Amino acid sequence: MPPDYKRWRYTHYPPHHVLMARLDRPVSRRQSQWLLLAAVTAFAPLATHMPVWLTLCVGVAFVWRAWLIQRGGRLPPRWLLVSLVVAGSLGVFFEYRSLFGRTPGIALLLIFLSLKLMELRAPRDAVVTVLLCYFLILGQFLFTQTLLTALMTCLAVVITTAALLAANNDRPTIKQQFEHAGRLLLQALPFMLLLFILFPRVNGPLWGLPEDRRTALSGLTDAMAPGTIAQLSQSDAIAFRVAFTGAAPAQSSLYWRGLVMPDFDGRTWRVSQTREAYTTPPYAEESRRSKPIDYELTLEPHGKRWLFALEFPTTLPTESGLTRDYQLLSRQPVRSRMRYTQRAVPDIRKGLTDPPEVLQESLALPKNSNPRTRAIAISWRQRHGDNDAAIVQAAEDFFSRQLLRYTLNPPLTGSDSVDEFLFDNKRGFCEHFASAFAFALRAAGVPARVVAGYQGGEINPVDGFLVVRQYDAHAWTEVWLAKQGWVRVDPTAIAAPRRIDSSLATAIPADETLPFLARNEMAWLKAIRYQIDAVTNGWNQWVLGYDPQRQRDLLTRLGLDADWRNMTALLAVLCGTTLLLLTGWVLRQRERIDPVRRAWRRFTAKLAKRGIVWQPWEGPDTLAARAASQLPLHATKIHAIARSYARLRYAAHPPSAGLVELNQYIRDLSL
């Protein structure tokens, strides 16, 4: 075995007596640098979630510690550190009105970490610092679980593990410390994978906390006023992703139905109070005559109960129901990513037997509002009599003649918002079109209501998923016609057909600003975005979305029983087998020590008990001289051992009885 490797082995895997001697040593400058680096790595991702004053204070503490390391200055006194701990805790309390919970708890730990660096005196302080770093690294997942967060966490774990190794032995180079940390973490990788795949999963978010309920989330709300959806369309955040079993339907047929809004107060449309819900869709028999569309939808958390589905679902997700106005609702607010499979039948009649009170509700209008629209609507009724379908056609013709403009920046409107939109400014977004159309039909005596959801989406060519973003939010109208039930009419398509057939970008005037990801220019940038989005989707689907159902599906495909008792037993067997394999591998890597070296180690171990630690760079004569000076009563025997060892190691022809003599000298040395 090469001498360099032996030296490296000794440096990285020192004997027990050397380790014990190192526990008494103060924290060196190099160790302090490693610990400061680990602390900065753990703190950086959390800084954006902390108040500015706390971020500045922790940053100043790190700079202060770096200055002390560089200048070799004295650590601050304990009374000052205690005062800073009290002041920091009071600051956190006044900031959050509590010391408990996710953010206050992480804030306190950051303060403790920054001040712990100021009292690095013994190895025990170094270990405590490293443990704080590990906990804070874990705490990052309480705020975000993106792939970027996971990568940053991996980097922080490697650095912190290297700092832990340096706290034990700071002699290896930076490269050697990182290599050692990498080897240690790679040995843990098989266990991590086994636990991830086989550990019984639980329903609900793994990292969710009660205060997540107060987290603001983007998405549709249960009320729609002029400008509401136009404002939401400025966001390019993802609303949901869809994987179709077959080919994706045409863009113009992708109406993702969400909220049904029959209540109107003259300006705002609202969701009515939920009435009795269907546990199974009421049109199942008729749906069998249509060609279904099968897909799986992964909904991003939006904090509300409504779900989105293509018109019209023939099956319902678990723990959901269908209201009397065919609105899909979850029993609990969607606070974590939710995945459900759906089968939709587009051409279906619904609401043929809706009770009179439902239709009457869809005719209600506030009094004395929008007189010009009312007058036009009354003329339609007078012209077409009881023919509601002809009235709907008259309304579409009227909207077409008005030369309305589709814009992301509609002007503000007053109390008669419909009149102002149709006759004065003639500019609006989809909510203006849907609201005006429904108002006009109600004024003409045709039951109508507004539906909000999303329209369209963009197929990612990398993974084939349809991505629906917030700027795809849309509103349209449903009208009730005899023998047809509720029929979708999208008045936006009258003024901006390309919005429905293509995308928002093709329908908006060129001089208006689109959300960044909605723009069609810079094809190379869009290609990169597709790649990133596909990777992110894979992370969401297979890591964050690895729920009990997906675990059962995976184990079933592998021919394994998904029962939690069997999974636990299999997990124990596989972990035990992996541990045995790793143990065998480690044993094979052990250094094969020759008898002379083994005898020398016994000798150095005896010296270490008296506080004389052999250093790897010391030759036998140097060590003997140092030991003899400290143990003069044993100087003769120590020198004899050193000479005997030197002859056996370095002589051209070592004496045959030298090893026996060396062992005898060591046995006779009683310290």
Side-chain angles (χ1 to χ4, degrees):
M1 187 173 293
D4 291 343
Y5 179 73
K6 293 179 180 179
R7 185 180 298 277
W8 183 90
R9 291 283 299 180
Y10 187 89
T11 303
H12 290 76
Y13 302 99
H16 176 71
H17 63 276
V18 176
L19 288 175
M20 295 303 295
R22 287 174 182 169
L23 290 179
D24 298 329
R25 296 189 306 181
V27 176
S28 66
R29 177 184 175 187
R30 199 169 185 181
Q31 289 171 327
S32 299
Q33 291 172 337
W34 272 107
L35 294 170
L36 179 60
L37 175 62
V40 172
T41 307
F43 163 71
L46 294 169
T48 57
H49 305 288
M50 296 294 117
V52 175
W53 67 266
L54 191 144
T55 301
L56 290 176
C57 290
V58 174
V60 168
F62 287 163
V63 173
W64 184 11
R65 188 65 180 98
W67 183 80
L68 291 176
I69 295 173
Q70 182 67 26
R71 301 293 297 271
R74 296 184 59 184
L75 295 176
R78 291 189 185 278
W79 65 266
L80 178 58
L81 295 179
V82 172
S83 301
L84 291 175
V85 167
V86 174
S89 301
L90 289 175
V92 171
F93 179 78
F94 286 117
E95 178 72 29
Y96 300 104
R97 301 299 175 187
S98 174
L99 293 177
F100 303 99
R102 179 188 62 179
T103 309
I106 295 295
L108 281 176
L109 288 178
L110 284 174
I111 292 174
F112 296 159
L113 174 64
S114 62
L115 296 179
K116 187 64 184 175
L117 291 172
M118 300 294 180
E119 59 170 8
L120 287 177
R121 292 182 172 85
R124 183 191 57 148
D125 298 322
V127 173
V128 172
T129 302
V130 169
L131 293 179
L132 274 174
C133 290
Y134 278 130
F135 196 89
L136 288 171
I137 292 170
L138 187 66
Q140 296 173 24
F141 287 111
L142 298 177
F143 296 96
T144 173
Q145 300 98 43
T146 64
L147 179 59
L148 179 61
T149 301
L151 294 176
M152 293 177 63
T153 299
C154 291
L155 175 63
V157 168
V158 171
I159 292 176
T160 305
T161 304
L164 178 62
L165 295 171
N168 175 60
N169 180 12
D170 63 348
R171 293 190 183 90
T173 64
I174 295 176
K175 180 182 177 183
Q176 289 172 335
Q177 294 287 22
F178 278 123
E179 288 177 349
H180 193 187
R183 278 193 295 273
L184 287 177
L185 293 174
L186 284 177
Q187 292 176 41
L189 189 60
F191 297 99
M192 184 189 75
L193 293 176
L194 287 173
L195 287 169
F196 176 77
I197 294 173
L198 294 175
F199 193 83
R201 316 297 288 189
V202 295
N203 284 313
L206 182 61
W207 302 96
L209 291 175
E211 67 181 62
D212 290 344
R213 297 172 181 274
R214 299 192 290 272
T215 302
L217 298 170
S218 60
L220 293 167
T221 63
D222 57 359
M224 188 194 76
T228 303
I229 296 183
Q231 185 177 9
L232 180 62
S233 294
Q234 300 293 336
S235 168
D236 51 20
I238 292 177
F240 52 86
R241 291 182 173 89
V242 183
F244 290 100
T245 301
Q251 185 82 2
S252 59
S253 62
L254 293 175
Y255 279 85
W256 304 97
R257 202 168 184 272
L259 298 92
V260 180
M261 302 179 178
D263 296 342
F264 184 56
D265 62 2
R267 182 174 180 81
T268 304
W269 293 85
R270 287 186 172 83
V271 176
S272 64
Q273 187 176 3
T274 303
R275 298 186 178 89
E276 179 184 357
Y278 298 109
T279 54
T280 57
Y283 38 77
E285 290 297 327
E286 185 174 355
S287 67
R288 295 174 184 173
R289 296 194 292 269
S290 303
K291 183 179 180 181
I293 300 172
D294 294 319
Y295 60 95
E296 183 181 73
L297 189 147
T298 305
L299 180 63
E300 296 295 316
H302 54 74
K304 308 295 190 299
R305 292 178 55 201
W306 44 81
L307 307 177
F308 299 94
L310 276 181
E311 298 173 327
F312 280 90
T314 60
T315 57
L316 300 182
T318 306
E319 297 296 317
S320 69
L322 197 66
T323 63
R324 295 295 297 271
D325 48 13
Y326 312 103
Q327 180 177 320
L328 196 58
L329 286 182
S330 171
R331 298 192 184 281
Q332 299 294 332
V334 181
R335 302 196 182 282
S336 62
R337 195 170 285 107
M338 179 179 181
R339 182 173 52 239
Y340 49 90
T341 57
Q342 280 285 280
R343 167 167 288 190
V345 180
D347 301 323
I348 198 170
R349 292 182 299 176
K350 60 185 183 303
L352 289 172
T353 59
D354 273 1
E357 59 267 23
V358 172
L359 301 182
Q360 193 62 35
E361 181 187 46
S362 301
L363 289 171
L365 286 177
K367 294 180 180 179
N368 303 324
S369 64
N370 303 295
R372 286 180 284 178
T373 305
R374 286 177 185 271
I376 291 289
I378 291 172
S379 71
W380 297 337
R381 174 60 70 185
Q382 292 172 346
R383 188 184 316 147
H384 298 288
D386 295 335
N387 191 345
D388 288 354
I391 293 175
V392 173
Q393 184 60 52
E396 294 184 30
D397 294 341
F398 171 75
F399 270 63
S400 179
R401 291 194 303 272
Q402 291 303 102
L403 300 178
L404 303 173
R405 182 182 176 187
Y406 187 67
T407 175
L408 269 173
N409 303 304
L412 297 176
T413 55
S415 56
D416 293 329
S417 57
V418 174
D419 279 357
E420 293 177 30
F421 167 62
L422 290 177
F423 299 101
D424 299 332
N425 54 58
K426 298 189 178 183
R427 291 189 299 159
F429 202 57
C430 58
E431 67 265 35
H432 296 79
F433 286 84
S435 176
F437 198 81
F439 182 93
L441 289 181
R442 286 191 177 190
V446 180
R449 61 194 183 192
V450 170
V451 177
Y454 296 87
Q455 200 283 323
E458 183 181 24
I459 294 287
N460 187 335
V462 178
D463 59 6
F465 274 76
L466 177 82
V467 181
V468 179
R469 299 180 183 274
Q470 295 299 343
Y471 58 66
D472 294 315
H474 192 53
W476 58 93
T477 307
E478 284 184 349
V479 299
W480 192 91
L481 299 175
K483 299 181 181 178
Q484 297 184 54
W486 289 103
V487 178
R488 168 172 39 88
V489 180
D490 191 348
T492 302
I494 298 172
R498 286 184 295 180
R499 165 65 182 88
I500 310 304
D501 297 332
S502 182
S503 64
L504 177 67
T506 59
I508 293 297
D511 58 342
E512 294 191 8
T513 303
L514 282 168
F516 182 74
L517 296 183
R519 302 173 188 175
N520 289 327
E521 61 265 27
M522 295 187 292
W524 62 272
L525 187 60
K526 179 170 284 191
I528 294 175
R529 176 168 63 84
Y530 284 146
Q531 297 287 345
I532 295 175
D533 192 69
V535 172
T536 303
N537 183 38
W539 170 261
N540 292 339
Q541 295 287 337
W542 290 102
V543 179
L544 300 181
Y546 191 65
D547 55 14
Q549 182 59 45
R550 179 139 290 188
Q551 186 181 43
R552 282 193 293 271
D553 294 343
L554 176 63
L555 295 180
T556 302
R557 285 200 294 270
L558 295 175
L560 301 175
D561 190 352
D563 181 76
W564 70 269
R565 291 178 287 268
N566 295 332
M567 284 194 297
T568 303
L570 180 62
L571 180 64
V573 170
L574 291 178
C575 284
T577 304
T578 305
L579 184 61
L580 288 176
L581 292 175
L582 281 176
T583 303
W585 177 78
V586 171
L587 290 176
R588 287 180 60 86
Q589 302 302 312
R590 289 182 62 189
E591 181 184 3
R592 296 179 179 177
I593 304 175
D594 63 277
V596 178
R597 188 172 182 81
R598 190 182 304 117
W600 178 257
R601 286 194 172 182
R602 288 201 305 275
F603 168 62
T604 57
K606 287 188 175 183
L607 294 180
K609 292 179 181 178
R610 298 296 299 269
I612 305 170
V613 179
W614 175 58
Q615 302 300 330
W617 58 85
E618 281 186 307
D621 291 338
T622 305
L623 174 63
R626 184 161 63 91
S629 65
Q630 297 183 37
L631 304 171
L633 295 179
H634 306 281
T636 303
K637 293 181 179 178
I638 290 174
H639 283 295
I641 292 173
R643 287 194 298 272
S644 178
Y645 174 75
R647 283 197 299 272
L648 288 170
R649 297 298 293 172
Y650 307 114
H653 303 287
S656 57
L659 180 60
V660 177
E661 180 186 62
L662 174 62
N663 286 326
Q664 185 60 47
Y665 285 152
I666 295 174
R667 281 195 296 271
D668 293 343
L669 179 63
S670 178
L671 300 179

